[in-house]
Amino acid sequence: MAGTFTTRTINITTGSTETLHDLTNACSAFLREVAHGRNGLLNVFTPHATSGLAVIETGAGSDNDLLAALRDFLPADDRWQGRHGSPDRSSAHMLPALVPPHATLPVVDGELELGTSQSVVLVSTDRDNPERHVRLSFLS
């Protein structure tokens, strides 16, 4: 039986602050529509130079901890050689080196196979770009 591939882009408004946006429900809804109980892989990708994707626990403070750690690792100051827009934006261009712009996740019986406390999140530290795109692709 030949495999199938289905893909869709969703749009996310992240606003003008550093943020984590939970994509877990959007991923699950996409799989309910396209996976039909099959096993496969869900690839999540964001085509932006200043955002990434993480699989972490949310709601218990870990989301704020991740943003605080990124502020420590990538301070928004003038140390960066790259010049991209506003002076504090250059550090956001380093984000994908620490939080990659992609994640590939197992799908079992049509459902996202995450741990009990895991969520899929879009990470954005770029306050100059409030609109993001995320591509969801299912391969079975």
Side-chain angles (χ1 to χ4, degrees), residues 20-24 52-58 63 66 99 119-123:
L20 270 64
H21 183 89
D22 195 330
L23 299 171
T24 310
L53 295 157
V55 178
I56 66 166
E57 178 182 21
T58 59
D63 20 14
L66 176 57
V99 182
S119 296
V120 182
V121 298
L122 173 70
V123 181

Side-chain angles (χ1 to χ4, degrees), residues 22-32 35 37-44 54-55 103-116 118-121 136-138:
D22 195 330
L23 299 171
T24 310
N25 289 338
C27 292
S28 294
F30 173 70
L31 290 171
R32 277 192 302 278
R38 295 182 306 226
N39 297 331
L41 296 171
L42 175 68
N43 181 266
V44 187
V55 178
T104 301
L105 306 164
V107 176
V108 178
D109 296 329
E111 295 185 18
L112 196 55
E113 188 78 3
L114 291 174
T116 302
Q118 290 180 316
S119 296
V120 182
V121 298
L136 306 175
S137 300
F138 175 65

Side-chain angles (χ1 to χ4, degrees), residues 33-82:
E33 186 179 326
V34 303
H36 307 292
R38 295 182 306 226
N39 297 331
L41 296 171
L42 175 68
N43 181 266
V44 187
F45 175 74
T46 182
H48 299 281
T50 58
S51 62
L53 295 157
V55 178
I56 66 166
E57 178 182 21
T58 59
S62 297
D63 20 14
N64 290 330
D65 290 341
L66 176 57
L67 290 174
L70 290 171
R71 273 185 236 109
D72 288 344
F73 287 127
L74 301 172
D77 58 23
D78 63 358
R79 74 181 66 200
W80 307 101
Q81 293 181 21

Side-chain angles (χ1 to χ4, degrees), residues 78-107:
D78 63 358
R79 74 181 66 200
W80 307 101
Q81 293 181 21
R83 299 292 175 239
H84 305 279
S86 62
D88 65 350
R89 189 168 182 239
S90 293
S91 64
H93 284 265
M94 299 298 103
L95 176 71
L98 299 175
V99 182
H102 57 86
T104 301
L105 306 164
V107 176

